[in-house]
Amino acid sequence: MSRIIDGKAISAAVKERVKKGVAELDEIGVPVGLAVIIVGDDPASKVYVANKKKACEDLGIISEEYALPAETTQEELLSIIETLNKRPSINGILCQLPLPKHLDEKLIINSILPEKDVDAFHPHNVGRIMIGDYDFVPCTPAGIMEMLEAEGIDVSGKSCVVIGRSNIVGKPMGMLLLHKNGTVTICHSKTQNLKEICRGADILVAAVGRAGFVTADMVKEGAVVIDVGMNRVDGKLCGDVDYEAVKDKVSVITPVPGGVGPMTIAMLMQNTLTAAKKQNNIKG
Ligand code: NAP
């Protein structure tokens, strides 16, 4: 019988911790502020932004939303970011991705001050993650590390396999596991013998974006399986792991929904609090 990680409960504990930290800063006259920029009408992005706003409200973080029309020019967007970079009351800035095609995503991300880059997508923060000296980590991998810790899962010396090498999930996930002394393999669409590699994993992280991609014959008996996938099949949210078939073979598994998903927003809130502390030279 496997243990099912309750992402909702762990994220609630993180949020409670953040709420306390935000209140402590507020008491000494340091309000915490997050600016969220959304360009265009992508329905999924709108839902994510609404959820982020709600989380801010719940935790006492002041949120400012910049909902811009799809035809916003690069200059207009850069000018808004420049203004937000300069405002001391804004500690974190995030630009909801994807952006409309005519906007240069790389340029936009690079224009956010690294100390306000609470998504940790700026090359400065990416480099700091690489050398293991970082303030922020992209929220999804950060949330997974938080989950592993909360569940008492020791990464050291374990064989860790990450399927997916995106800049926001797969690559930073691999680095974080490596920093915790895991022996890490990052797989992708060109990987050969994927099944065999996955079968050797003590900890398997699936971040592929394909429903039911990880089947029971790809996992080792007793492994820890973390499912990052968020796929819609007939309107139903499901992960990258064939949950029903895999769950009884492994020792620990995250469900979708209710696993990694709730952790992502909680870690964004955590990053925003960290940013506020750093910008105001507050330790802890
Ligand atoms: P992505 O940028 O599309 O990356 C997908 C990765 O999977 C790529 O590296 C790709 O390899 C690899 N891949 C695709 N087909 C493969 C195959 N047949 N065998 C092995 N690898 C394969 O996606 P992402 O942004 O990392 O997101 C991954 C999933 O996580 C999505 O379902 C997304 O919705 C979800 N997600 C969830 C959260 C959350 O909060 N729970 C947050 C972010 C993302 P190549 O590089 O070779 O193309």
Side-chain angles (χ1 to χ4, degrees), residues 56 64 68-69 109 111 152 154 166 188 222 235 246 264 274:
C56 283
E64 285 185 12
L68 309 175
I109 289 171
S111 73
D154 188 12
S166 70
H188 47 79
V246 168
T264 299
T274 302

Side-chain angles (χ1 to χ4, degrees), residues 81 105 147 247 265:
I81 293 173
E105 219 161 81
M147 275 181 148
K247 76 175 191 321
I265 288 192

Side-chain angles (χ1 to χ4, degrees), residues 48 140 163-170 187-191 194 206-210 213 227-231 238 240 260-265:
Y48 295 143
T140 302
I163 320 176
R165 56 172 164 182
S166 70
N167 289 332
I168 62 168
V169 187
C187 301
H188 47 79
S189 66
K190 305 290 184 292
T191 297
L194 181 71
V208 191
R210 286 197 188 190
F213 182 82
D227 190 350
V228 185
M230 290 211 302
N231 312 291
C238 56
D240 287 344
V260 175
M263 295 304 298
T264 299
I265 288 192

Side-chain angles (χ1 to χ4, degrees), residues 36 38 43-57 63 65 96 265:
V36 181
I38 175 168
S45 292
K46 278 184 165 177
V47 173
Y48 295 143
V49 166
N51 290 343
K52 287 167 187 175
K53 207 171 153 190
K54 163 90 171 57
C56 283
E57 274 166 22
S63 71
E65 185 184 332
Q96 188 66 45
I265 288 192

Side-chain angles (χ1 to χ4, degrees), residues 22-43:
V22 170
E24 282 167 7
L25 258 59
D26 206 42
E27 265 171 33
I28 55 168
V30 179
V32 180
L34 174 69
V36 181
I37 305 168
I38 175 168
V39 187
D41 297 315
D42 179 55

